[in-house]
Every structure is written in structure tokens, then in C-alpha cells.
């Protein structure tokens, strides 16, 4: 298969399994206490990603679910802010309402089309102006 046609399955952070080479790298990785900023492998990874993205710094999250939660919370200014997302998105189906439970963010769902995009008519009909509720993110997963 040509590189341009290669499909990477990113449905979940648990859908793939590590190769033997990955397992060997994990077993040989230098480790430390990340709470105290003493894990050299995590520090190296964060610095590498920050450099690739031309950012001052980066932060490692061990799961996609945690990354989604923190990403949404970074945009929320106040409890009750709203996120619009597809009804078949990972956040809607598999993340047990964590954005509401932990982040205080309301999740308004719109219909996902077969290609994964959002139904724009449904999106427009769900975009309601409510006093004190602000749509902070429209998520496409």
C-alpha cells in the first residue's frame, strides 16, 4: 500500500497493540517520577512535540479521553459553557459524560453523517442562543 493511501485507525487509544519493537522500547525506557518532573522519557517526549509544533511547551496525557477532557476544559470559561459534537463521536459514546461531570460543560449533540462530518442543517437548528450559555467548541471527531 502506498504511503499516501495508508489508513491509520484512530478510533480509540486502545484499538491498536504495540509492536515488538515498541515493547522493547518501553522496557528499556528510562523512567522517573513524572509528578516531580523527573521522568526523562516524558520530558523528552514533551520537548520533542513542543518543537515539532513550534510551541513553548507540551504536556503528555496518557489517554485520548484525558486529552479530550483537558482540551475542552481549556476552552471553557465558566461552568455551563456548551460544546457541540456529533452523536457518534468518541466523546458522546465512550467518555461517560466526563466533560459534564468533571468540566461542567454541556454537550449538545448533532447528527453525524456517514462520512463522520456533522449535519449542517442539524447543527444550525441546534445553535440556540441561551442566556449565559456560550458555545465554546464545535467538535468533529
Amino acid at each position: 500500500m502506498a504511503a499516501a493511501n495508508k489508513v491509520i485507525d484512530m478510533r480509540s487509544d486502545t484499538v491498536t497493540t504495540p509492536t515488538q519493537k515498541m515493547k522493547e522500547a518501553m522496557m528499556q525506557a528510562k523512567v522517573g517520577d513524572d509528578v516531580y518532573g523527573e521522568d526523562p522519557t516524558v520530558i523528552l517526549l514533551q520537548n520533542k512535540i513542543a518543537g515539532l509544533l513550534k510551541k513553548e511547551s507540551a504536556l503528555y496525557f496518557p489517554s485520548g479521553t484525558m486529552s479530550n477532557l483537558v482540551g475542552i476544559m481549556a476552552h471553557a470559561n465558566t461552568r455551563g459553557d456548551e460544546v457541540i459534537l456529533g452523536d457518534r463521536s468518541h466523546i458522546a459514546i465512550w467518555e461517560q459524560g466526563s466533560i459534564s461531570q468533571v468540566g461542567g460543560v454541556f454537550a449538545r449533540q448533532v447528527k453525524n453523517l456517514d462520512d463522520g462530518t456533522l449535519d449542517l442543517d442539524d447543527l444550525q437548528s441546534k445553535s440556540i442562543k441561551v442566556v449565559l450559555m456560550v458555545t465554546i467548541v464545535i467538535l468533529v471527531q
Side-chain angles (χ1 to χ4, degrees):
M1 177 182 283
N5 296 327
K6 186 174 182 180
V7 174
I8 300 172
D9 188 346
M10 297 177 69
R11 290 175 289 158
S12 168
D13 47 359
T14 58
V15 76
T16 57
T17 55
T19 64
Q20 186 59 37
K21 189 174 179 180
M22 293 167 134
K23 290 177 186 177
E24 289 169 11
M26 287 185 270
M27 290 188 320
Q28 295 173 10
K30 294 178 183 170
V31 296
D33 192 325
D34 187 47
V35 172
Y36 293 105
E38 299 170 348
D39 188 313
T41 303
V42 171
I43 293 168
L44 180 66
L45 175 64
Q46 291 175 157
N47 290 340
K48 181 173 183 167
I49 297 303
L52 287 170
L53 299 176
K54 296 181 178 26
K55 298 292 180 182
E56 183 178 326
S57 60
L59 185 58
Y60 169 72
F61 292 100
S63 75
T65 297
M66 188 184 292
S67 299
N68 287 339
L69 175 61
V70 172
I72 289 169
M73 289 179 68
H75 290 283
N77 294 312
T78 185
R79 295 184 69 79
D81 281 349
E82 172 187 74
V83 170
I84 297 176
L85 59 127
D87 61 354
R88 294 188 325 218
S89 67
H90 191 274
I91 292 173
I93 296 173
W94 298 107
E95 297 186 13
Q96 291 99 22
S98 66
I99 64 172
S100 298
Q101 291 176 359
V102 179
V105 176
F106 177 73
R108 185 178 307 276
Q109 294 183 27
V110 299
K111 180 180 167 95
N112 270 118
L113 301 177
D114 289 337
D115 65 358
T117 61
L118 303 177
D119 181 316
L120 295 182
D121 291 331
D122 194 24
L123 177 63
Q124 188 172 21
S125 75
K126 298 276 175 79
S127 299
I128 312 167
K129 298 295 179 210
V130 179
V131 176
L132 300 178
M133 185 180 287
V134 176
T135 302
I136 55 167
V137 173
I138 298 175
L139 275 162
V140 180
Q141 277 191 309

